[in-house]
Amino acid sequence: MRIQSWLETCSSANCATATHQSTISLPKFRSDHKQHHASDSSTSSSSASSTTTLHSNLSIQTLPSVPSLQKLSPQTLNFSISYHCIASLTPNPSRPVTSLSVHNNLLYAATDHEINVYDRHTCNNLNSFNTQSTSSGSTKAITFSKSMIFTTHQDCKIRVWQPLNKHHHRMLTTLPTVNDRLRRFLLPKNYVTVRRHERRLWIEHADAVTGLAVSNGVMYSVSWDKTLKIWRVSDLRCLESVKAHEDAVNAVAVSNDGTVYTGSADRRIRVWAKPVGEKRHVLVATLEKHKSAVNALALNDDGSVLFSGACDRSILVWEREDSANHMVVSGALRGHEKAILCLINVSDLLLSGSADRTVRIWKRAYDGQFCCLGVLAGHRKPVKSLAAITETEYDQNSSANGAVSVFSGSLDGEIKVWQVALTSLSAQDRGLNS
């Protein structure tokens, strides 16, 4: 299987390493080892008066020239954290979970070609679709725009679905559409060479489509064919195709202002933008710091900070400088022992999933410093996908500053559902003294 060989490459010991260790204090959590099993939905809580230590294993530290940013403890941030696994879902034990996404209180989970739909509150399986399309190969990404669902696949296609209700989904078309193909197939100039003795329309991907991002009515897709393609959502037409990298493109992220970031196995992140009055995107910058394949990208809420995860076991933090039109690296988040496979930003938290089978929770504080708030463990194989959503149903008068539901999907075929809550220590103290 191609996923397995790729993970073996990511986990190899060819990366440059250095030795370093650090320890930070965290509130102690009451936990039961059983809560990590599939049948468990128990909870654990944190105690403000008791503490333990969380060891960030940096023995395989890479990129020694890039400073580490995780120098704070939750107490420094005046927070305590609690987290627990409330459910485990196994759509198909023999198939890896390759993509997760949350939309309208529904969890969409891809296991190989099949896509399962869950009520995220009750964890009931409501529906499965794309069940017959075994030739499509594994589903790589799931995203949403307006009333449509877009999924990308190993067979080079993007499929477009319409949810009739939460129990039924209908496939509308595949991209590129038949109409788009008919408009272009007669003219030789619309064909490009994708490999020796093979030519395709430039609107077609020629290898697995690995990532999707949607912003302001425009969709961006990336592929192992090294290209970035831009689509208009309103009529599903392909507008542009860009030779983005020298190797497979694994990730894409787009900010609200339309700046596009692509991450590749060529170890580079490239920044793309469409100048005012121009019809095509142009290369703005190439960000080079990682020492191995870039697997994941995420932006913070306002697009001012970019996070990139790679096989070199580091998460790099890139920030926009006033004097620059692009991002510059400010430091690294270290602690994972193997390749970073997925990243997601929710509210002011960054979540990272790794081939070391864990999920780490990071929080940014003043002066650009970060804190690793906790490590979610329990998966038996690499964590390939993450989804998260901020809960708004908590009591406004409570001391909880935020509750986040986190969904982690692993190559072991299991989806774990986590409840993460941050509590202000000052608010907690006021509650104890009242």
Side-chain angles (χ1 to χ4, degrees):
M1 183 181 290
R2 192 164 184 174
I3 289 178
Q4 184 62 36
S5 62
W6 170 72
L7 283 172
E8 289 172 355
T9 302
C10 284
S11 302
S12 66
N14 295 330
C15 299
T17 61
T19 301
H20 178 71
Q21 291 185 339
S22 68
T23 303
I24 62 174
S25 296
L26 273 176
K28 188 174 182 179
F29 302 102
R30 298 191 301 271
S31 62
D32 185 343
H33 179 71
K34 292 182 181 179
Q35 78 179 44
H36 299 304
H37 288 75
S39 61
D40 180 75
S41 60
S42 63
T43 64
S44 64
S45 60
S46 65
S47 170
S49 61
S50 59
T51 61
T52 187
T53 58
L54 172 67
H55 298 279
S56 297
N57 185 354
L58 305 181
S59 60
I60 318 178
Q61 187 188 68
T62 57
L63 307 173
S65 63
V66 180
S68 294
L69 296 178
Q70 70 275 22
K71 298 179 179 179
L72 303 176
S73 70
Q75 287 81 2
T76 306
L77 298 178
N78 202 32
F79 281 104
S80 68
I81 182 173
S82 65
Y83 50 86
H84 50 272
C85 180
I86 60 174
S88 292
L89 312 174
T90 310
N92 192 316
S94 63
R95 296 175 181 169
V97 179
T98 54
S99 183
L100 295 174
S101 192
V102 176
H103 184 66
N104 290 341
N105 289 322
L106 299 177
L107 171 68
Y108 290 77
T111 55
D112 199 18
H113 63 279
E114 186 175 279
I115 302 166
N116 295 273
V117 185
Y118 291 89
D119 183 308
R120 74 174 187 88
H121 294 296
T122 64
C123 295
N124 291 332
N125 192 329
L126 304 176
N127 180 31
S128 297
F129 59 97
N130 201 44
T131 56
Q132 305 301 320
S133 300
T134 55
S135 61
S136 69
S138 63
T139 303
K140 301 293 185 181
I142 306 170
T143 194
F144 309 88
S145 181
K146 298 181 179 178
S147 60
M148 294 180 289
I149 303 169
F150 297 88
T151 59
T152 71
H153 301 267
Q154 186 87 28
D155 66 358
C156 317
K157 293 182 175 63
I158 301 169
R159 287 174 169 78
V160 187
W161 307 84
Q162 180 184 36
L164 302 178
N165 53 55
K166 62 184 179 180
H167 295 285
H168 298 283
H169 293 72
R170 177 171 63 96
M171 192 175 78
L172 296 177
T173 187
T174 60
L175 302 184
T177 63
V178 172
N179 287 339
D180 214 358
R181 292 171 187 269
L182 291 175
R183 291 180 65 253
R184 307 179 192 276
F185 86 100
L186 286 176
L187 296 180
K189 69 176 184 179
N190 287 329
Y191 289 82
V192 294
T193 301
V194 295
R195 54 182 65 89
R196 191 176 182 181
H197 305 309
E198 183 180 351
R199 291 172 62 80
R200 289 193 179 201
L201 289 170
W202 64 264
I203 61 177
E204 298 178 276
H205 278 298
D207 208 333
V209 186
T210 52
L212 281 179
V214 179
S215 178
N216 299 318
V218 180
M219 183 170 67
Y220 306 84
S221 63
V222 294
S223 167
W224 285 346
D225 66 11
K226 310 174 188 178
T227 67
L228 161 70
K229 296 190 189 297
I230 296 99
W231 311 77
R232 188 165 53 209
V233 173
S234 60
D235 58 6
L236 302 178
R237 281 183 57 184
C238 186
L239 305 177
E240 290 182 64
S241 180
V242 180
K243 172 68 183 304
H245 289 270
E246 301 306 314
D247 207 336
V249 189
N250 297 322
V252 61
V254 59
S255 62
N256 290 332
D257 66 2
T259 303
V260 184
Y261 302 87
T262 55
S264 168
D266 66 9
R267 304 179 295 177
R268 298 178 178 92
I269 300 165
R270 285 191 166 150
V271 187
W272 309 87
K274 188 166 72 171
V276 177
E278 297 293 328
K279 294 183 178 181
R280 296 187 176 277
H281 286 73
V282 298
L283 180 64
V284 175
T286 300
L287 311 181
E288 298 185 72
K289 274 294 181 183
H290 282 293
K291 299 301 182 184
S292 59
V294 179
N295 298 323
L297 298 173
L299 287 162
N300 71 338
D301 289 343
D302 64 7
S304 62
V305 181
L306 173 71
F307 305 96
S308 59
C311 288
D312 57 22
R313 307 169 178 87
S314 294
I315 302 167
L316 292 189
V317 181
W318 308 80
E319 298 189 63
R320 191 184 301 277
E321 286 194 341
D322 294 337
S323 59
N325 292 324
H326 56 272
M327 303 286 193
V328 294
V329 69
S330 62
L333 305 179
R334 298 183 172 100
H336 282 296
E337 298 178 357
K338 293 185 179 180
I340 313 300
L341 302 182
C342 48
L343 294 170
I344 188 170
N345 186 88
V346 56
S347 186
D348 57 351
L349 298 178
L350 175 70
L351 303 168
S352 57
S354 169
D356 67 9
R357 303 176 295 177
T358 67
V359 177
R360 284 182 177 256
I361 308 169
W362 310 86
K363 183 175 174 62
R364 182 185 172 97
Y366 48 85
D367 297 332
Q369 298 299 312
F370 282 78
C371 170
C372 180
L373 296 176
V375 180
L376 309 182
H379 282 294
R380 301 182 301 278
K381 288 187 179 180
V383 178
K384 184 66 176 64
S385 54
L386 289 169
I389 187 168
T390 303
E391 303 289 357
T392 57
E393 292 81 14
Y394 61 88
D395 183 1
Q396 297 292 331
N397 297 319
S398 76
S399 60
N401 288 62
V404 178
S405 291
V406 178
F407 307 87
S408 57
S410 168
L411 299 185
D412 61 13
E414 186 177 34
I415 303 164
K416 287 188 177 294
V417 185
W418 309 85
Q419 200 72 40
V420 178
L422 293 178
T423 304
S424 168
L425 293 177
S426 57
Q428 196 175 65
D429 291 342
R430 287 196 302 270
L432 292 173
N433 294 330
S434 61

